Amino acid sequence: MGAGISILGIFVADTAYLAPRMPAVGETITGSGFSVGPGGKGSNQAVAAARAGAQVSFISKIGRDTFGDLALKTYSEAGVTPRLVIMDDQPTGAAFIYVNDSTGDNAIIVYAGAAGTIGIDDVEAARQTIEQSAVFVTQLEQPAAAAYRALDIARRAGVVTIFNPAPAEAFPDEIYGLCDYIIPNETEAAALVGFPLNTLEDAKRAGDLLLSRGVGAAVITLGARGVLFHSAAASVHVPAVTVGPVIDTTGAGDAFVGGFASALGRRMDPLGAVRFGCATAGIAVTRRGTAPAMPTLAEIEAVIV
Ligand code: ADP
Ligand code: NA
């Protein structure tokens, strides 16, 4: 088993529009801000983990275009090792992000482009990278079959596996048994278990169900309410970390996953890793944007008491 972290996921160029509200269909409204930046859950998680001090390889596919150049620049600046296939006949993924200019709430459309074609062959081509890492992370923005194969490769190699079932898409039930940690947010957990997570008791019930399906531990993120860590050995509610006014919660979950993975990579115990993830996300939500909002190791350590 290696030392670093490998992440399979997608890159998209986040095009973020600030506005007082979402326009209705057929309506045009005036916005109050705009930015283009690097996004995609897997890519954000890779940047978060690298900025948090881990050695990270990011496995994905992009197009040969300006958004693809943005991806490469992002990895060179964050110190992420790119393991990318560059396609000539597919665009780099892109996302439309509406951000409410007073509450920071968001609504998102993602088109994966080249990364939407990630298949089992692409995962097999990255087998060594996965097998040589300490921790492997994936999500559901690329096809579920690719996530399944990659988790299977990691598990057989004794690599710690983290599955972030986001967005809430269907996936093969066999994936549960391959997860050391499943990390859904509240909405994704509700979709998996079939009931809403209104209370901490509901979250524990959801955690029990996920354990019964074969995961090692359920790490359910609850937004400003923090995280429920739920395993056979312990069920612990870890509060969110507040370091200042919340500006933009886009990518909070990615900051948490990246921070959590980087901490596990340094052999921190799971609860310590959850606290580290909460600190990472707690800082990220006080800054606009996703990848550019990810804190450094020194910044995270400064808020962990
Ligand atoms: P997602 O971004 O996937 O919807 P969550 O909203 O659950 O995920 O956020 C993930 C984590 O980010 C939370 O568990 C918490 O630690 C942190 N977080 C989210 N919102 C806030 C907030 N308003 N203040 C502090 N931390 C937050
Ligand atoms: Na942010």
Side-chain angles (χ1 to χ4, degrees), residues 112-160:
T117 74
I118 295 174
I120 285 168
D121 290 355
D122 297 303
V123 172
E124 283 298 336
R127 174 180 279 274
Q128 275 210 338
T129 300
I130 296 168
E131 288 178 342
Q132 289 170 0
S133 47
V135 179
F136 171 75
V137 183
T138 195
Q139 329 70 25
L140 283 176
E141 286 189 315
Q142 74 291 327
Y148 180 26
R149 175 62 66 95
L151 286 163
D152 189 57
I153 288 172
R155 172 51 69 94
R156 286 171 199 274
V159 175
V160 173

Side-chain angles (χ1 to χ4, degrees), residues 41 106 164 166 183-188 220-228 238-244 246-247 249-257 274 277-283 285-286:
K41 291 179 194 296
N106 61 67
N164 171 220
I183 311 186
N185 69 11
E186 214 171 314
T187 311
E188 291 142 7
I220 304 175
T221 68
L222 303 165
R225 292 187 293 163
V227 172
L228 177 71
V238 176
V241 171
T242 306
V243 300
V246 174
I247 302 290
T249 59
T250 317
D254 300 333
F256 177 82
V257 170
V274 169
C278 284
T280 308
I283 298 168
V285 298
T286 65

Side-chain angles (χ1 to χ4, degrees), residues 249-303:
T249 59
T250 317
D254 300 333
F256 177 82
V257 170
F260 178 77
S262 75
L264 285 185
R266 288 208 306 282
R267 309 295 194 267
M268 206 180 273
D269 66 277
L271 268 175
V274 169
R275 291 196 182 89
F276 191 94
C278 284
T280 308
I283 298 168
V285 298
T286 65
R287 301 172 178 174
R288 202 160 309 286
T290 50
M294 300 307 178
T296 63
L297 178 58
E299 289 171 330
I300 298 162
E301 285 178 335
V303 306

